Amino acid sequence: MVRPSGGLAGMSAARDDDHLREECGVFGVWGAADAAALTALGLHALQHRGQEATGIVSFDGERFHSHKALGLVGDAFSDARVMARLPGAAAIGHNRYATTGDTVLRNVQPLYADFEFGGLAVGHNGNLTNAHALRRALVRRGCLFQSTTDSEVFVHLIAISLYGTVVDRLIDALKQVQGAYSLVALTSEALIGVRDPFGVRPLILGRLAGRDGAWVLASETCALDIVGAAFVRDVEPGEIVVIDDAGVRSIKPWAKQPSRFCIFEHIYFARPDSIVEGTAVYEVRKRIGAELARESHTAADIVVPVPDSGVPAAMGYAAEAGVPFELGIIRNHYVGRTFIEPTDQIRHLGVKLKHSANRALLAGKRVILVDDSIVRGTTSRKIVEMVRAAGATEVHMRVSSPPTTHSCFYGIDTPERDQLLAARNDVDAMARIIGVDSLAFISIDGLYRAVAGAARDARRPQFCDACFTGDYPIPLTDQSDQSNDRQLSLLAETR
Ligand code: SF4
C-alpha cells in the first residue's frame, strides 16, 4: 500500500495511509431543472476520486453561479441555502485531491473565466506533462495566473486563441497541451466533455430517464447510478462531445491511435460497482485475485484482505486457491478526515486508528494477506506487525498489482521514485522490510490476462502501465525541462 506524496500541514489520520490516490472526479449535467443538485449527488458518488475540495458551477440561462469549498461533498452541498444559490438546468462539478502544498480555495475547480464569447467553466481530471513549459510561455505573453493548478493553462490558451467559436478555441488549446485529461466544460450554449487522445483517464456519457432526456457526463458509472441516469457510452479517447438542446455532437480532431487507459483504474482507483471501459470493476478485481493465486499460491489456513480495497482480489484468490476467505482485519470507517492534529506520541498509532486485527480469527493461523499495491511499504509493515501480534504463525503477502517502480505523471498522486519501495528493492528485500514470510506480486502479463483476457503486447501495450514498467505513453516534457524556475515549479500542485 502507499502514502500520498504531498504533505498537507496537519495530515489527518484518514489521509495518513499508504495508497496511491486518484486525483479528481468530474461530473456535468445539461437539460435538467435541478442540475446543481444532481451534480452534488454525482460528486458524492465520486468522492473516492478526491476528498480535499469540491465545487459546482451552474448556468441558469443568463448567469453563471459558483460554490466551492474545502472538504467533502456532503459538507459542502448539504445546506439548502447553498443549493438555492446554484440555479439552472446546466451544471458541472469537480472533486479535487491535491498532491503538494496547501489546498486553497483558489485552486478548487471548476475554474471559471469570462471571455469575449461569454463565460466558461472547466473541471479537469488528469495531469498535463508540459504545463510548466506552457505556463512559462503564457506568463511571458502577459497572462496573469490566478491559481497554481496546471488546469488553468487551458483557460489562458482558450483566451488567447484566435479562433472564433468556443469549440474551435478549445481544440486549439488542446492541441498545445500534452498529458492526461478528461475535461468537463460549461458555456452558456453547451456542456462539453473531452478525453485526451490516449484516453488515460475515464469519462462517460449518460442520459437521465424521464427528464426530457437530460444528458450527464461523469468519471464513472457509479455517478450515473446515484442520479438514475442510464449509461450511454464511454467518451472515446481523443473525442470531444458537445451537448446542447439539439443533442450530442461528436468531434474527433486527432488521428485515431490505440488507447492507453490507466490500468490502475481497474486495480484500485475506480469504485468496485462501476463499469469501466465496458468491464465490471468488481469482477475484474476478483479475476486478478484468481490469477494471483494461480501464479503464487502457498500453503495457508485463511486468506485475509487488507480492507477495503483488497477485498474483491482476496475473494478471487481464496476461491481459486480453495482456502477460506476471512475478515481478519476490521476497518474502522469512522476515522474522520479531521479526526486529530496528530501528536508525535500518537501519530505512530495511525494504522491502528484505521485497522484492527480480528484476534480470535488470526491466532494460530497461517495467513495470506491480499492487498492491491505496495508503495512506500510503511502501512504494509504495520499491518503485518499487527497480524503477527494477533497470533498469526505465518504471514504471506500477495499483491494484486505488479511492483510499483515508477511515479505517475498522468493524474495519480505517487511519491517521488526514490521513495517507492519497489524502485529500490527486489522482492526478497521488500519481504524482509515488510516483515512477511513470503511476498509475491501479480505479473504484468497475469494482470493483463485478468483485465483484458490477453497478455501485454510489448510493442503496443493495451493500457498505460507506466508505474509498473516505466513505459510512459505521453512525453514527460516538464520532467526533462531543467530550466523551470521556482515560481513555475509551483505548477507541481495539481488539481
Ligand atoms: S502511470 Fe500508472 S497510475 Fe499513472 S496513468 Fe499510468 S497506469 Fe495509471
Side-chain angles (χ1 to χ4, degrees):
M1 303 201 298
V2 220
R3 176 191 292 240
S5 63
L8 284 186
M11 182 184 287
S12 72
R15 184 168 177 170
D16 189 18
D17 68 6
D18 199 20
H19 271 92
L20 296 174
R21 294 288 182 187
E22 182 63 72
E23 286 181 358
C24 294
V26 294
F27 192 87
V29 178
W30 183 269
D34 47 358
L38 292 168
T39 302
L41 285 171
L43 292 178
H44 178 69
L46 297 170
Q47 190 75 84
H48 60 290
R49 299 184 74 89
Q51 300 97 44
E52 299 294 349
T54 185
I56 292 177
V57 171
S58 71
F59 180 66
D60 66 5
E62 290 187 9
R63 297 179 57 201
F64 288 86
H65 308 268
S66 171
H67 181 75
K68 302 178 189 181
L70 305 183
L72 301 176
V73 176
D75 297 327
F77 297 109
S78 58
D79 187 333
R81 290 167 298 183
V82 169
M83 299 314 295
R85 293 199 296 269
L86 293 167
I92 62 169
H94 186 270
N95 286 340
R96 176 176 194 262
Y97 182 86
T99 53
T100 61
D102 292 331
T103 295
V104 291
L105 213 48
R106 68 190 172 124
N107 286 341
V108 179
Q109 297 190 32
L111 299 174
Y112 176 82
D114 282 308
F115 297 91
E116 55 183 301
F117 57 78
L120 174 77
V122 181
H124 170 204
N125 173 207
N127 202 47
L128 302 184
T129 55
N130 67 339
H132 290 240
L134 285 172
R135 183 172 174 126
R136 185 167 54 236
L138 288 163
V139 167
R140 285 191 185 125
R141 289 188 60 162
C143 295
L144 300 174
F145 279 74
Q146 303 295 314
S147 75
T148 53
T149 69
D150 58 350
S151 312
E152 194 180 346
V153 166
F154 286 116
V155 175
H156 289 285
L157 290 174
I158 291 168
I160 64 172
S161 173
L162 299 176
Y163 284 87
T165 70
V166 61
V167 172
D168 286 342
R169 283 170 176 245
L170 177 61
I171 293 170
D172 188 28
L174 293 171
K175 288 192 169 177
Q176 296 173 68
V177 303
Q178 298 170 341
Y181 50 85
S182 282
L183 300 180
V184 292
L186 184 64
T187 74
S188 60
E189 295 177 352
L191 169 68
I192 301 170
V194 189
R195 268 180 96 189
D196 71 71
F198 288 97
V200 175
R201 305 256 73 87
L203 188 66
I204 56 166
L205 178 67
R207 199 150 199 206
L208 282 159
R211 287 178 175 256
D212 299 326
W215 295 95
V216 176
L217 291 169
S219 295
E220 292 181 36
T221 59
C222 62
L224 299 184
D225 297 336
I226 197 170
V227 299
F231 173 77
V232 174
R233 65 179 177 84
D234 289 297
V235 175
E236 292 179 26
E239 181 183 16
I240 300 171
V241 290
V242 181
I243 301 166
D244 57 21
D245 293 342
V248 179
R249 184 161 53 102
S250 171
I251 302 167
K252 295 178 181 169
W254 295 275
K256 192 170 172 59
Q257 54 189 326
S259 163
R260 297 292 296 273
F261 184 68
C262 167
I263 202 164
F264 229 132
E265 293 275 355
H266 288 291
I267 299 166
Y268 171 62
F269 301 135
R271 227 172 73 166
D273 55 332
S274 283
I275 311 289
V276 167
E277 298 276 292
T279 312
V281 172
Y282 182 79
E283 290 303 323
V284 165
R285 288 182 188 165
K286 288 207 311 190
R287 292 206 299 265
I288 295 172
E291 186 70 35
L292 185 59
R294 283 192 286 276
E295 288 187 350
S296 62
H297 182 53
T298 190
D301 300 310
I302 52 175
V303 173
V304 171
V306 177
D308 291 328
S309 51
V311 171
M315 291 172 70
Y317 187 108
E320 179 67 22
V323 175
F325 169 92
E326 299 286 2
L327 296 177
I329 299 172
I330 306 301
R331 179 165 173 204
N332 181 352
H333 289 266
Y334 302 101
V335 181
R337 298 192 58 71
T338 55
F339 176 66
I340 46 172
E341 286 283 318
T343 63
D344 285 345
Q345 286 87 347
I346 64 170
R347 195 187 297 274
H348 71 283
L349 295 177
V351 73
K352 290 186 180 169
L353 293 172
K354 205 168 172 185
H355 298 110
S356 46
N358 188 344
R359 285 178 175 274
L361 192 66
L362 295 169
K365 300 280 184 12
R366 296 170 298 168
V367 176
I368 292 179
L369 280 177
V370 178
D371 203 353
D372 53 74
S373 57
I374 294 178
V375 181
R376 286 184 164 106
T378 47
T379 301
S380 302
R381 186 166 46 77
K382 290 175 187 168
I383 284 178
V384 171
E385 277 172 14
M386 193 170 70
V387 171
R388 285 200 192 279
T393 55
E394 294 177 22
V395 182
H396 305 273
M397 182 164 275
R398 297 294 178 266
V399 184
S400 63
S401 63
T404 303
T405 52
H406 291 73
S407 301
C408 176
F409 299 96
Y410 303 142
I412 300 302
D413 180 18
T414 30
E416 295 290 322
R417 194 170 175 217
D418 63 3
Q419 294 183 47
L420 295 171
L421 193 66
R424 294 178 281 116
N425 299 281
D426 63 18
V427 174
D428 288 344
M430 292 172 77
R432 283 194 296 278
I433 292 166
I434 292 168
V436 287
D437 295 288
S438 76
L439 172 67
F441 296 79
I442 195 167
S443 68
I444 191 79
D445 279 341
L447 175 64
Y448 270 69
R449 275 194 299 275
V451 174
R456 183 178 191 265
D457 180 343
R459 285 174 305 144
R460 299 176 94 188
Q462 304 91 310
F463 295 94
C464 176
D465 54 23
C467 46
F468 311 127
T469 62
D471 176 1
Y472 291 95
I474 303 169
L476 304 180
T477 301
D478 287 336
Q479 294 303 310
S480 55
D481 180 358
Q482 300 301 317
S483 62
N484 294 321
D485 62 27
R486 169 67 190 137
Q487 178 196 3
L488 297 175
S489 73
L490 289 171
L491 261 180
E493 288 187 27
T494 60
R495 304 131 319 280

